[in-house]
Amino acid sequence: MIFTDDTEDTLRAAVWLVNSAEDPDALVSLSDEAVFLGQFGYTGRIDRDQRELAGLREIRPQLRTMLLAPRDDMAVAVNHALAGVTLTPRLTRHGALDWHLHAIADDAPLAERVLVETAMALIDVIRAEEGSRISVCADDSCDAVALDLSRNRSKRYCSTACANRNAVAAYRARRAGA
């Protein structure tokens, strides 16, 4: 584990949201939001309505900018995200998660909480100088974000689909050259 469980979970959720904007958009309906919420255990206020869905869709470009920024720019983006909200930091535990930090009130809109939790997770990334673990997928035809939480820093693709497509292409190129 590179980061704490809650930091890794938050980074995964942010990457999922950012990548949901890739074609085809995977966050267009309330059922798509339900998939997101089912995969990532956000607690607190969950409205499951069109306004909440629109808020999640709206923060995707900001999340992408934060995630992919160079270290100093990432710090500026994190500070900007945190400056726009009222912070109420407190330790909490719920579900299977042990003590961890919530930085914003549980009744704040979900998109605001996702943005702040992502900013808090990126503080860990910045302090550990691990920004290279977040990159654009190595597949030339893909603009999705890849999150590498492996020990050996070997993840280059956003998904197994992109990794497999490139492995097959490399195999075919080797066979054609032989």
Side-chain angles (χ1 to χ4, degrees):
M1 177 172 36
I2 308 306
F3 304 109
T4 59
D5 290 339
D6 60 316
T7 294
E8 289 187 4
D9 290 346
T10 298
L11 291 172
R12 284 186 186 100
V15 166
W16 189 99
L17 276 174
V18 168
N19 289 346
S20 73
E22 294 298 311
D23 192 30
D25 195 319
L27 188 63
V28 294
S29 68
L30 292 175
S31 61
D32 295 336
E33 179 187 7
V35 169
F36 170 72
L37 292 171
Q39 205 166 350
F40 304 101
Y42 281 94
T43 59
R45 175 180 158 196
I46 308 285
D47 297 335
R48 298 181 194 275
D49 61 15
Q50 290 297 326
R51 179 182 225 158
E52 184 174 83
L53 176 63
L56 290 172
R57 292 175 54 80
E58 186 177 293
I59 65 169
R60 296 183 301 184
Q62 186 176 2
L63 291 175
R64 182 180 181 89
T65 298
M66 286 172 53
L67 289 168
L68 294 175
R71 187 171 186 237
D72 289 352
D73 295 340
M74 186 184 287
V76 170
V78 164
N79 285 336
H80 177 74
L82 295 177
V85 296
T86 300
L87 298 176
T88 55
R90 70 206 173 283
L91 284 171
T92 186
R93 71 175 160 197
H94 47 81
L97 286 176
D98 200 3
W99 290 108
H100 60 282
L101 184 66
H102 279 200
I104 188 169
D106 287 341
D107 62 349
L110 178 60
E112 195 172 304
R113 287 184 287 125
V114 169
L115 186 63
V116 169
E117 287 188 25
T118 302
M120 297 298 291
L122 289 173
I123 289 170
D124 289 347
V125 172
I126 293 164
R127 291 177 62 191
E129 296 187 45
E130 292 287 357
S132 64
R133 292 185 174 276
I134 307 167
S135 62
V136 175
C137 181
D139 184 323
D140 292 338
S141 66
C142 182
D143 289 324
V145 173
L147 175 63
D148 183 1
L149 296 174
S150 67
R151 287 185 193 187
N152 64 358
R153 297 176 177 269
S154 61
K155 185 171 180 186
R156 298 176 30 220
Y157 299 100
C158 67
S159 67
T160 54
C162 283
N164 288 343
R165 181 174 39 255
N166 280 269
V168 168
Y171 170 76
R172 288 182 179 155
R174 283 191 307 273
R175 285 198 61 198

